[in-house]
Amino acid sequence: MHDFYLILAAIGTLVTIILLIKKAETKTTLFGVGFILCLVSLKPIDALNAFTFSMTQASLLKAICASMGFAFVMKFTQCDAHLVRLLTAPLKNLGFFLIPIAFIITFFISIAIPSAAGCSAAVGATLIPLLMASGIKPAMAATAVVSGTLGSALSPGTSHNGIIADMSGLSIPQVLSVQFNYTLVSAIITCISLIIMALIFKDYTKGIVYESKTQTKEGIQKANFLYALMPLVPIIILIIGASDLPKIEFLNPILNWTTKIQVAEAMLLGAILAMVVTMSSPSKICQEFFNGMGSSYANVVGIIVAASVFAAGLKACGAIDAVIEILKNEQHYVRFGGTFIPFLMAMVTGSGDAPTMAFNQSITIHAQALGFDQVALGMVATVAGVLGRVVSPIMAASIIVAGIAGVNTIEIVKRTALGSIISLIVIAFIML
């Protein structure tokens, strides 16, 4: 009977992958398969318990919902557009060097705007036409932007960082200090690979001007520095609070309170400050913030809840316990599970969230029993998911930038594959 349940778990996992590849709704797929596995294992209550437990994890909900609320406020006030304009304005006539610079700018902005699709839309609308007008081929212009969304792994508002923090009992800034090394190494490798691929594909021709298929008529013509600073306020507050900065006596009363600020409070404070700086209507800012919170619960927390039910289904069938036993005896396989599984699933589904959440909920939670640091394994899986999604032709962000540049997403994948695969190998064999 035990083997029968393991076979069911394998079939359920395969069905989940196929449905996600076919773009079935993520939450429905994860919840449906998880609940069915619990049901056939005669443990339906396990699915219900996993659902109710995940939907009420206070520390996780606060960070994710508040971050999305802040993102909605930034979009409403156009502060995100001012930040993009401020960073891109001095870049004219830099030619080939615009490729790594575009990557770095997007990487930086994606920390403040962690949604890959949202960041790509905001940054791509300005950067891609600039790159193309400077002689960069459309495919590389789109690739430089979408590759830069790797920076979202360092955002305090990214759901995976909140999950690992809640799982390990650490604060999100503490988790990010571990995440920083993996993301930085991957970013350096990715940036270098972009330069190599640009040379291989001859993606720069001096004097050639490529025209974008879309033009942003509503774009910001001149950046307001204070507006542009607003998306960075929560990050600045959290960095100050988590850092051992030199003590400056007259500033201590001002800065000491930052040590008590968590992600949700920083996001709320940032939204209030943005309201004051932009002189926006308090009622509209409040409405946008709560709209963002509601959206995050439906679209982000919903996936977390559904992934928990899926993990409960695998556990009910005994699959997780079986895998843990195998990994205990063959611990060198853990590094491959934590990297290649999220990477491959993200590549075929176009999303880094669902496979990474499923892995972290199923395996990372048992990391210590497997001889690995829980935070390190969770963070490696997170980066692997991000690296996997940028080599997927069906990734939403890739579709967005491809539309702006007027290219096929396969052309983007050709240019992202090298950096993603090398980064994956490095973090699998060296970092973990």
Side-chain angles (χ1 to χ4, degrees):
M1 200 65 177
H2 176 69
D3 291 340
F4 173 71
Y5 286 138
L6 291 180
I7 292 173
L8 283 180
I11 294 173
T13 302
L14 181 60
V15 168
T16 300
I17 294 173
I18 292 173
L19 289 174
L20 290 176
I21 292 173
K22 291 182 174 294
K23 307 303 291 181
E25 206 279 323
T26 303
K27 296 186 291 295
T28 304
T29 300
L30 292 172
F31 177 85
V33 173
F35 184 77
I36 290 172
L37 290 177
C38 286
L39 196 62
V40 297
S41 301
L42 304 179
K43 299 177 181 178
I45 192 65
D46 288 2
L48 303 179
N49 287 340
F51 184 92
T52 54
F53 175 78
S54 298
M55 68 181 291
T56 57
Q57 295 184 69
S59 58
L60 188 61
L61 295 181
K62 288 193 298 182
I64 295 174
C65 292
S67 296
M68 188 63 79
F70 176 74
F72 268 50
V73 171
M74 292 300 98
K75 185 175 180 61
F76 173 76
T77 58
Q78 291 192 296
C79 288
D80 56 352
H82 281 275
L83 175 61
V84 172
R85 173 57 65 184
L86 178 70
L87 295 177
T88 57
L91 300 181
K92 296 178 181 179
N93 304 318
L94 289 180
F96 182 86
F97 295 103
L98 272 174
I99 296 172
I101 290 174
F103 169 83
I104 293 170
I105 287 175
T106 310
F107 182 92
F108 179 67
I109 293 176
S110 68
I111 298 175
I113 310 174
S115 166
C119 179
S120 295
V123 178
T126 299
L127 266 186
I128 291 175
L130 174 63
L131 288 162
M132 292 169 62
S134 302
I136 308 297
K137 284 185 179 179
M140 179 50 73
T143 302
V145 170
V146 79
S147 296
T149 60
L150 173 64
S152 64
L154 291 177
S155 172
T158 297
S159 57
H160 302 293
N161 295 329
I163 289 173
I164 300 303
D166 191 65
M167 189 182 294
S168 63
L170 300 177
S171 66
I172 288 181
Q174 288 174 317
V175 168
L176 288 174
S177 68
V178 177
Q179 178 72 296
F180 180 81
N181 295 327
Y182 304 117
T183 307
L184 181 62
V185 168
S186 299
I188 292 172
I189 293 172
T190 301
C191 189
I192 293 172
S193 74
L194 285 178
I195 296 173
I196 294 172
M197 298 309 292
L199 294 173
I200 292 174
F201 284 101
K202 299 179 180 178
D203 281 331
Y204 172 68
T205 307
K206 187 176 182 180
I208 297 293
V209 175
Y210 298 95
E211 292 198 6
S212 172
K213 299 296 181 183
T214 59
Q215 298 295 331
T216 51
K217 297 178 181 178
E218 71 281 1
I220 302 297
Q221 298 302 315
K222 185 177 180 181
N224 181 307
F225 179 77
L226 286 179
Y227 282 34
L229 187 62
M230 292 302 102
L232 307 178
V233 167
I235 297 172
I236 293 172
I237 291 173
L238 291 170
I239 289 174
I240 292 174
S243 302
D244 293 325
L245 297 176
K247 300 300 180 182
I248 303 175
E249 187 172 348
F250 74 93
L251 287 179
N252 282 346
I254 301 175
L255 298 179
N256 280 344
W257 61 271
T258 61
T259 61
K260 303 176 183 179
I261 291 288
Q262 299 299 316
V263 173
E265 291 83 353
M267 296 297 170
L268 180 58
L269 185 60
I272 294 172
L273 187 59
M275 177 190 70
V276 174
V277 169
T278 61
M279 293 186 290
S280 299
S281 165
S283 61
K284 289 184 177 179
I285 292 294
C286 188
Q287 181 179 358
E288 288 298 322
F289 194 89
F290 279 98
N291 284 342
M293 290 178 64
S295 175
S296 72
Y297 199 98
N299 298 307
V300 180
V301 177
I303 295 177
I304 296 173
V305 172
S308 297
V309 175
F310 177 70
L314 295 179
K315 185 171 180 62
C317 289
I320 292 178
D321 291 335
V323 170
I324 290 172
E325 280 303 313
I326 293 173
L327 294 178
K328 280 182 179 178
N329 298 323
E330 303 289 343
Q331 292 188 0
H332 54 280
Y333 287 142
V334 176
R335 68 175 73 248
F336 300 111
T339 52
F340 287 92
I341 290 177
F343 179 88
L344 292 173
M345 289 188 66
M347 183 176 67
V348 298
T349 62
S351 169
D353 285 343
T356 304
M357 287 177 184
F359 180 87
N360 284 335
Q361 295 279 7
S362 304
I363 304 299
T364 302
I365 194 170
H366 303 289
Q368 292 179 343
L370 301 174
F372 281 79
D373 180 74
Q374 198 171 54
V375 176
L377 182 59
M379 294 297 92
V380 165
T382 298
V383 175
V386 174
L387 292 171
R389 77 186 184 194
V390 297
V391 292
S392 172
I394 59 175
M395 177 190 176
S398 292
I399 294 172
I400 290 171
V401 296
I404 296 173
V407 298
N408 191 296
T409 55
I410 295 298
E411 293 300 314
I412 296 176
V413 172
K414 289 179 182 177
R415 291 162 171 79
T416 58
L418 177 66
S420 291
I421 292 172
I422 294 176
S423 296
L424 184 73
I425 293 172
V426 168
I427 63 174
F429 286 94
I430 299 177
M431 303 300 291
L432 191 59

